[in-house]
Amino acid sequence: MDFNQIVEALPKTTFGKDDIITAASETRQPIQSGSVFWLINCLIDSGMIQRTGRNRYVVDGGARKRSAYHYTFSEPLQRIVSSIEEQYPLVEFQAWESFQYNRFVNHLIAHNMFFIDVEGMLCDTVFEYLRDSGQGTVLKNPKEADFLTYAVHDCIIVQNLITEAPKDSANPHTVVIEKFLVDMLADKKVSLFVEPAEFPAIWEEAFSSYIIDESRLLRYAQRRHAKEKVLSLIHDHTDIRLNMEETA
């Protein structure tokens, strides 16, 4: 099967699996609907197309190939995550750290802080466990003033995980890029250690370097009541073009 011919026959904007079936047929390489997901995975794995949403894809014609976002926890954060996993193996939580932004910012963050987002009813339980286990300063859902006053290097911040927050099923305790970006605008604490003037550049770098699921991004932004902030940043302060809007 000639993947290049199929890709050449695909729409230049976003498309779905039916368009892929049509493109295969037009290039005299008909494929049955039951095999289309095999073909989609082959095209994604080869870097020829990228997923932008549920059943939405785009041809990656740029010179810079985007990849799936992955972040390796620092050793201190990994110890915290492992201790929670061992103590509460069924608790749903996601972890990230302020140093995670150093991949994107010009002014590097000097002091690391660890954020543990925990499903609502167990937030208190995880907070009390970390506080009593001698892992340093632990804060729970701190307001901005408390954060500025008490957050120190290697501080642990336990906070509520937003319901239906997106996650990576293969790595459920990490933060996916869509959540990482939306929380930057929705969680005011981020602007206390990342200069807001750098937000547009962070978003542009993320969109040019990593595969972004736009529907998941906007759906989570809606959950966080930050969709208008997200669209305002994209439209007014960046050169990002949302593929979803091109076909709306």
Side-chain angles (χ1 to χ4, degrees), residues 5 36 71 74 110 124 128 173 181 185-186 208 211 215 235 244:
Q5 287 186 356
V36 68
Y71 177 77
S74 65
D124 286 344
E128 291 168 1
H173 300 314
L181 291 173
L185 302 181
S208 66
I211 300 167
S215 62
H235 294 152
M244 290 181 63

Side-chain angles (χ1 to χ4, degrees), residues 2 4 19-20 27 30 42 55-56 60 98-99 125-126 129 144 146-148 152 154 161 168 191 202 208 216 228 245:
D2 191 330
N4 287 308
D19 298 302
I20 296 174
T27 59
C42 289
N55 189 33
R56 301 310 301 169
D60 189 356
S98 54
F99 275 6
T125 300
V126 172
Y129 162 69
E144 291 177 68
D146 293 331
F147 183 84
L148 286 171
V152 295
D154 285 352
L161 178 67
D168 181 349
S191 65
I202 292 172
S208 66
R216 180 161 67 174
E228 289 186 7
E245 292 183 335

Side-chain angles (χ1 to χ4, degrees), residues 46-87:
S46 66
M48 303 180 80
I49 69 172
Q50 295 183 353
R51 182 179 284 108
T52 63
R54 182 173 300 177
N55 189 33
R56 301 310 301 169
Y57 309 90
V58 65
V59 174
D60 189 356
R64 184 178 183 181
K65 295 299 182 182
R66 294 177 293 170
S67 61
Y69 177 71
H70 175 73
Y71 177 77
T72 301
F73 293 147
S74 65
E75 289 187 12
L77 180 55
Q78 184 58 62
R79 285 196 297 270
I80 296 167
V81 169
S82 297
S83 71
I84 298 172
E85 286 180 313
E86 182 177 353
Q87 188 73 17

Side-chain angles (χ1 to χ4, degrees), residues 80 112-115 136-139 150-157:
I80 296 167
N112 203 11
M113 290 169 284
F114 310 115
F115 295 81
T137 302
V138 184
L139 306 176
Y150 301 109
V152 295
H153 184 64
D154 285 352
C155 176
I156 304 172
I157 293 92

Side-chain angles (χ1 to χ4, degrees), residues 5-247:
Q5 287 186 356
I6 294 174
V7 170
E8 284 294 323
L10 289 169
K12 302 308 177 186
T13 55
T14 59
F15 50 84
K17 69 179 181 65
D18 290 341
D19 298 302
I20 296 174
I21 293 173
T22 299
S25 178
E26 289 177 350
T27 59
R28 300 181 181 179
Q29 303 176 83
I31 185 170
Q32 296 183 354
S33 59
S35 301
V36 68
F37 293 108
W38 166 83
L39 176 56
I40 289 171
N41 287 331
C42 289
L43 295 175
I44 291 174
D45 291 343
S46 66
M48 303 180 80
I49 69 172
Q50 295 183 353
R51 182 179 284 108
T52 63
R54 182 173 300 177
N55 189 33
R56 301 310 301 169
Y57 309 90
V58 65
V59 174
D60 189 356
R64 184 178 183 181
K65 295 299 182 182
R66 294 177 293 170
S67 61
Y69 177 71
H70 175 73
Y71 177 77
T72 301
F73 293 147
S74 65
E75 289 187 12
L77 180 55
Q78 184 58 62
R79 285 196 297 270
I80 296 167
V81 169
S82 297
S83 71
I84 298 172
E85 286 180 313
E86 182 177 353
Q87 188 73 17
Y88 304 105
L90 300 181
V91 170
E92 182 178 348
F93 72 93
Q94 296 183 18
W96 54 284
E97 54 192 321
S98 54
F99 275 6
Q100 203 158 335
Y101 283 93
N102 282 342
R103 157 67 180 81
F104 301 95
V105 297
N106 289 320
H107 300 92
L108 297 182
I109 298 165
H111 301 291
N112 203 11
M113 290 169 284
F114 310 115
F115 295 81
I116 310 297
D117 298 350
V118 186
E119 57 179 317
M121 294 185 65
L122 293 171
C123 189
D124 286 344
T125 300
V126 172
F127 164 71
E128 291 168 1
Y129 162 69
L130 292 173
R131 181 196 60 192
D132 297 339
S133 62
Q135 300 199 53
T137 302
V138 184
L139 306 176
K140 182 174 76 71
N141 290 320
K143 301 296 184 183
E144 291 177 68
D146 293 331
F147 183 84
L148 286 171
T149 302
Y150 301 109
V152 295
H153 184 64
D154 285 352
C155 176
I156 304 172
I157 293 92
V158 179
Q159 52 193 14
N160 292 105
L161 178 67
I162 301 300
T163 56
E164 299 182 25
K167 64 180 180 180
D168 181 349
S169 57
N171 300 286
H173 300 314
T174 62
V175 169
V176 298
I177 189 65
E178 295 83 6
K179 182 178 186 298
F180 179 79
L181 291 173
V182 171
D183 285 348
M184 185 189 315
L185 302 181
D187 189 339
K188 294 180 179 179
K189 291 188 294 296
V190 175
S191 65
L192 301 178
F193 56 86
V194 178
E195 176 56 51
E198 296 205 56
F199 286 3
I202 292 172
W203 276 67
E204 288 189 332
E205 177 63 19
F207 266 78
S208 66
S209 298
Y210 302 109
I211 300 167
I212 308 291
D213 187 326
E214 295 178 6
S215 62
R216 180 161 67 174
L217 176 91
L218 295 177
R219 189 164 56 248
Y220 180 60
Q222 185 73 42
R223 292 290 301 169
R224 294 230 58 178
H225 305 290
K227 187 173 181 179
E228 289 186 7
K229 288 183 179 179
V230 166
L231 293 177
S232 175
L233 176 76
I234 289 174
H235 294 152
D236 300 336
H237 302 285
T238 75
D239 293 326
I240 296 169
R241 295 180 64 182
L242 294 177
N243 291 299
M244 290 181 63
E245 292 183 335
E246 293 180 3
T247 57

